[in-house]
Amino acid sequence: YLAKHIIEEPVPPSRRSRGGPIHPELEKLALWAMKKKPNERPPSAQEFKRALEKAVPQGSQGGGGNALSGFQALLGDAVATALGGSSAVETRDVVVAFVDLAPAPIVLKNPDALRTFVAKVMDTAEQYQVKAERVGQTRLKMGFGLRSSSGTEASQAITCLQALLKVAPGSSAGVHCGSVEVQGDALGEGMVVDLAERIALYADADQILITQDVEKRAKGLNVRPRAPFEVKGGGLSVALFEPVQRSESA
């Protein structure tokens, strides 16, 4: 599954939509944004916004504000936030967490039930003062330290993820940290975000895996080493650790 996610092109949204027809220009732009190779994606959020406004002008059917809501449905909250916001893009040192949700098959088949399930998980994240961005149907990404840094972001991320996995049993999570482009509360793309997502997909059900960089920042955290993650094509081996409760490490 991890190899498919990295290599295979995404299925066009129109082939799996249950909510009616999708504007063809929106779909074309959505597929552009989901290209596997970073250099084939839009060069910036502003460039993408200009392309969106040109393809679906204000006042046309499915255009204007509906265009942004359409992208939110196709690609998740992160795109809508990046396109709709006017805040400047800046580089920050962020702890990035990705969650690969595992809803029950009956929930996955029911759009309303899936929406309720994801909303419950996102509401839980907000209790830890972080906004979870929905990526596709069943993934969430979060940035800790987007606005300011207190030095506790790694510990905060792990505590938050432990709560999320209780709400969504069977799910998995990956955490990495480093320099990331952000716009307001929206995470950009890049190696740090990409690796966090890959680790979440690599993790077992009900498991949180963190990189060594995160482990160093989470002071006083009990961890057990796990099998390293081998980055295919890059010749890179990433050391991984699993946070454990004190009773488990005793």
Side-chain angles (χ1 to χ4, degrees), residues 135-219:
V135 181
Q137 279 195 311
T138 58
R139 288 190 202 131
L140 300 176
K141 70 176 177 179
M142 294 163 281
F144 296 81
L146 291 175
R147 295 287 186 177
S148 61
S149 177
S150 64
T152 62
E153 287 76 24
S155 298
Q156 181 189 1
I158 293 165
T159 301
C160 176
L161 291 174
Q162 289 171 336
L164 296 191
L165 294 196
K166 289 180 180 178
V167 174
S171 303
S172 58
V175 192
H176 188 35
C177 59
S179 296
V180 179
E181 285 192 348
V182 301
Q183 185 175 25
D185 290 325
L187 284 168
E189 300 297 328
M191 292 179 62
V192 173
V193 177
D194 182 64
L195 183 55
E197 182 177 15
R198 293 192 191 196
I199 293 170
L201 296 174
Y202 175 73
D204 294 330
D206 298 308
Q207 186 178 52
I208 301 169
L209 292 179
I210 66 176
T211 61
Q212 190 168 33
D213 290 337
V214 176
E215 187 268 337
K216 290 179 179 178
R217 297 190 187 192
K219 299 174 182 178

Side-chain angles (χ1 to χ4, degrees), residues 35-122:
K35 287 289 187 181
K36 296 298 179 183
K37 297 180 179 179
N39 62 349
E40 294 181 357
R41 299 174 195 152
S44 67
Q46 289 303 315
E47 180 66 28
F48 195 35
K49 185 177 182 180
R50 283 193 290 270
L52 173 62
E53 292 171 344
K54 181 179 179 181
V56 189
Q58 293 282 344
S60 66
Q61 183 177 3
N66 289 335
L68 289 178
S69 63
F71 262 92
Q72 186 171 17
L74 290 178
L75 296 179
D77 296 333
V79 171
T81 301
L83 293 177
S86 58
S87 55
V89 176
E90 57 181 330
T91 301
R92 295 194 64 87
D93 188 70
V94 178
V95 174
V96 179
F98 242 96
V99 182
D100 186 31
L101 298 172
I106 191 171
V107 172
L108 193 57
K109 293 178 182 178
N110 185 320
D112 290 335
L114 180 60
R115 188 160 41 248
T116 300
F117 170 79
V118 174
K120 183 178 180 181
V121 179
M122 295 175 72

